[in-house]
Amino acid sequence: YPFECLNAKTHGLRKGELVTVTAGSGVGKSSFCRHIALSLLEQKYTVGYIALEESVKRSVRGLISLAVNKPIHIPEVRKSIPTEELIAEWEKIKDKVCFYDHFGSSDSEDLLNRIRFMVQGLNCKFIFLDHISIVISGISEGDERRLIDNTMTNLRKLVEELNCGMFVVSHLKRVDSKTGHEDGLQTSLSHLRGSHSLAQLSDAVIGFERNQQSETDSNIMTARVLKNRFTGETGVACDLIWNKDTGRLSEGNFDE
């Protein structure tokens, strides 16, 4: 990971493992995944990036934004950066990142075939799937719990068979609490939405907590390791600080 606090807890990333990333809506799950993906690309790994809630163009801009430390999806920011600089950053990673050109829900079997092709045909070592709920929404028959069970089981089998690393983003269910996850409620394995298989079949589960309405701490995101099959070490890893000017998450440095 590009965050040493998570490396201290998890002892890093490994192929053959499935990591579930979870948090409330808008807390920063997708941003975290982009940070991990860019770090892997910079380490010369080939990455498959499947973001079903956004276009491929938005995914590309998200990665380039981190590379140039500017949120280029914002028009006025984009205009302030020379096009040549953006192209230069894209040239560095374009041969190492593969996208799934699809917006919205996806058939589960087709998605599994695409992942298999990314790993076997395009040599992707790590896959990012953001997020599993939208995969399930594309299936018209069956209850949510069973569909998530089946999809997670198939993803687990793929990870084992292909020896790739995989990050799966999952939403949280609403719980009976005065405070919601979007307001900083502590995450828990029991809060994973839809099925316990999300926790059971994952090698690690990382939850994030951020009070988006706080007047002073809305940019502070707590990283909590909810499950860690590799060593069993769980609990709060650290606080990650989001800088709105750069779009970057930094580790425990409140000056940035």
Side-chain angles (χ1 to χ4, degrees):
Y1 291 94
F3 308 111
E4 284 307 313
C5 62
L6 280 173
N7 289 327
K9 283 280 189 185
T10 65
H11 296 261
L13 303 177
R14 286 165 290 277
K15 290 184 292 183
E17 291 191 355
L18 190 156
V19 178
T20 293
V21 177
T22 190
S25 179
V27 169
K29 303 181 293 295
S30 297
S31 177
F32 173 77
C33 286
R34 290 190 194 105
H35 278 74
I36 307 305
L38 183 62
S39 174
L40 290 167
L41 290 168
E42 291 172 343
Q43 296 175 64
K44 307 305 180 184
Y45 287 102
T46 304
V47 169
Y49 203 88
I50 304 170
L52 297 176
E53 276 192 322
E54 63 186 25
S55 66
V56 170
K57 180 183 289 187
R58 177 66 183 91
S59 295
V60 170
R61 286 177 175 174
L63 291 172
I64 300 302
S65 291
L66 294 180
V68 299
N69 292 311
K70 294 288 183 181
I72 65 170
H73 63 283
I74 300 175
E76 52 267 32
V77 175
R78 163 66 184 86
K79 293 176 182 177
S80 69
I81 304 174
T83 300
E84 294 77 10
E85 182 179 346
L86 301 179
I87 293 175
E89 293 298 334
W90 172 239
E91 290 289 335
K92 293 178 183 178
I93 65 172
K94 70 174 186 177
D95 295 329
K96 288 291 185 179
V97 60
C98 309
F99 298 97
Y100 182 14
D101 190 7
H102 181 88
F103 187 86
S105 59
S106 168
D107 176 76
S108 180
E109 188 62 33
D110 178 63
L111 179 68
L112 294 170
N113 288 334
R114 296 297 182 106
I115 292 174
R116 183 184 298 277
F117 176 70
M118 281 182 169
V119 177
Q120 293 184 320
L122 302 176
N123 198 34
C124 293
K125 303 301 184 184
F126 290 88
I127 300 291
F128 291 81
L129 175 58
D130 185 4
H131 56 85
I132 192 168
S133 296
I134 207 166
V135 177
I136 302 307
S137 70
I139 306 174
S140 58
E141 298 180 358
D143 64 272
E144 184 181 38
R145 183 193 62 79
R146 181 171 296 180
L147 292 172
I148 290 179
D149 284 348
N150 292 340
T151 302
M152 281 296 292
T153 298
N154 288 329
L155 291 174
R156 175 78 251 176
K157 289 178 180 177
L158 270 184
V159 167
E160 295 284 351
E161 174 192 344
L162 303 175
N163 191 35
C164 64
M166 185 177 294
F167 285 84
V168 175
V169 174
S170 172
H171 284 178
L172 293 166
K173 64 184 179 183
R174 297 194 178 279
V175 297
D176 186 14
S177 171
K178 293 181 179 179
T179 303
H181 291 108
E182 292 76 20
D183 301 314
L185 179 67
Q186 181 176 319
T187 55
S188 167
L189 290 179
S190 64
H191 296 170
L192 287 166
R193 175 180 165 182
S195 170
H196 187 63
S197 64
L198 287 163
Q200 186 177 5
L201 296 176
S202 299
D203 291 284
V205 180
I206 303 174
F208 294 100
E209 300 145 15
R210 179 167 71 92
N211 185 351
Q212 300 178 59
Q213 301 304 315
S214 172
E215 294 183 1
T216 57
D217 299 333
S218 62
N219 67 323
I220 301 175
M221 188 167 77
T222 299
R224 184 183 300 273
V225 178
L226 300 174
K227 179 182 179 180
N228 180 3
R229 184 174 286 156
F230 188 66
T231 66
E233 298 171 72
T234 56
V236 173
C238 65
D239 285 335
L240 299 178
I241 317 304
W242 178 66
N243 186 318
K244 69 176 182 178
D245 295 324
T246 65
R248 279 275 189 173
L249 292 169
S250 60
E251 184 179 349
N253 186 348
F254 288 82
D255 295 328
E256 291 188 6

